[in-house]
Every structure is written in C-alpha cells, then in structure tokens.
Amino acid sequence: MDKIAARLEADATPSAPALILRPWNPADAAGLVELDWDDALRRWTSSAVNDEASAARWVQDQQRGWETGDRFGFAIVETQAPGNEGQLAGHVVLKNVTAGASSAEVGYWTAAHARGRGVAPRALQALTDWAFTAFPGDGLTRLELLHQVDNTASCRVAQKSRYELTRPLPAAPPAYPAAGHLHVRTRDL
C-alpha cells in the first residue's frame, strides 16, 4: 500500500455524513483558521492555530511527518456527496512510527461543530485499520492512545474504538503536566 497516497473513508451514520481522511495540504490552512478553536480544543491540543501563518506552519509540520515517515496526520473532512469533500471536522494521526518497532501512538481532535456525532471514533477506527494494514511488514502490532485522566470524551472515544484502558499514567511534566490514561489496541492476528 502506498502510504503517501493514503485516502481513508468512514461510513455515514444516521446523524452524520461519511468522512474522508486524507493527508493535510497547504489549501487546508484557511480552513484551520476558520475552525472554532474553542476552550476544549485549545485545552486538549498541544498547538493552537491563531492565524493563517500558524496554520500554514502546522500543515507544514504534518507534511514533514509524511516525508520522514514517522508521523502520518490526516485531515478529517465530512462529505457533501459521495466522494466530494465538505467541511473540515478534525485531525487524526499515527505518530512515533519507527521502522521495525511493534508499537506506535495515535491521537486526534475534533472541531467544535463535529463533536457528539461519532466523528472521532469513526476516524480513529479508519486510522487503526489503515495502520495495521499499511505497516504489517514493519511489525506494527500495538497502537497506544494517551489522554489526560480528566478528558472523559477521549476516554469514551478510545472505548468505542476498542482501545482498552490498560493503566493510569502519572503526570510527567513538562510534556505531560497531568495524570493520564493509557489505552491500547492490538492487531488481530
């Protein structure tokens, strides 16, 4: 499978349109600026987008991850009609990918307008399926999902996506200033 050309899809639900997951591109910077970077999104993400320049830098960072092969970030967009992209709904990422390593990490965020409609679990499931398919020769058999212990929404997303809570994590400042949860999903063999 060509990792660079990856385009993933998640089916529609009765209350939400289908999703397309694709690598970020420079044209997405304007859409990032337009998102409602509400308090919840700012709290749970490590970097906020404040203007067109910071959005362009963020997109460049996502593209650099694809180029180096250690981070694969996908824009999550809702479809307007089959195959046609609509509104930007969030981000999902496979990160800390190392050739020959058995584990990597996943992460995600959703825009305020997309929350509560199953966007994050559907996108995470699509990313999980892709990761285990795209990296079998590299030995990827375990995906880890970390979140702060008080981020109950992320805990629900992990559970809906069959990531089992394996243990609590102590705070480890400065990178992890608060206690967290470690969820794990293993590849079905």
Side-chain angles (χ1 to χ4, degrees):
M1 172 183 286
D2 182 5
K3 295 174 188 84
I4 301 302
R7 181 179 168 98
L8 314 177
E9 296 182 8
D11 292 335
T13 68
S15 62
L19 304 173
I20 295 171
L21 286 67
R22 55 149 176 83
W24 290 89
N25 65 62
D28 293 322
L32 276 172
V33 174
E34 292 174 11
L35 289 180
D36 178 14
W37 285 82
D38 64 335
D39 290 340
L41 187 54
R42 289 181 185 280
R43 179 176 182 199
W44 304 125
T45 59
S46 59
S47 60
V49 171
N50 300 311
D51 54 28
E52 191 90 26
S54 61
R57 283 191 301 274
W58 191 88
V59 169
Q60 287 172 345
D61 288 344
Q62 303 313 305
Q63 291 178 315
R64 197 170 8 267
W66 281 88
E67 291 165 6
T68 60
D70 62 354
R71 182 181 178 92
F72 302 90
F74 290 85
I76 305 168
V77 292
E78 297 176 319
T79 59
Q80 293 178 328
N84 292 330
E85 292 186 17
Q87 188 171 18
L88 180 62
H91 168 72
V92 65
V93 62
L94 175 67
K95 55 188 176 177
N96 302 326
V97 177
T98 304
S102 62
S103 68
E105 186 180 340
V106 297
Y108 51 86
W109 54 258
T110 53
H113 70 85
R115 293 188 202 126
R117 297 186 302 131
V119 169
R122 290 184 293 141
L124 181 57
Q125 184 61 52
L127 177 75
T128 300
D129 293 345
W130 173 79
F132 286 142
T133 302
F135 296 90
D138 294 336
L140 187 61
T141 59
R142 173 187 166 103
L143 296 175
E144 298 180 347
L145 186 157
L146 293 85
H147 67 81
Q148 285 184 205
V149 71
D150 58 341
N151 188 341
T152 56
S154 277
C155 208
R156 284 191 305 273
V157 168
Q159 292 166 343
K160 287 178 183 178
S161 304
R162 299 185 359 236
Y163 280 75
E164 297 295 325
L165 175 61
T166 59
R167 64 184 165 97
L169 300 170
Y176 300 101
H181 282 166
L182 171 64
H183 295 262
V184 172
R185 173 100 181 256
T186 56
R187 183 174 71 204
D188 299 330
L189 300 176

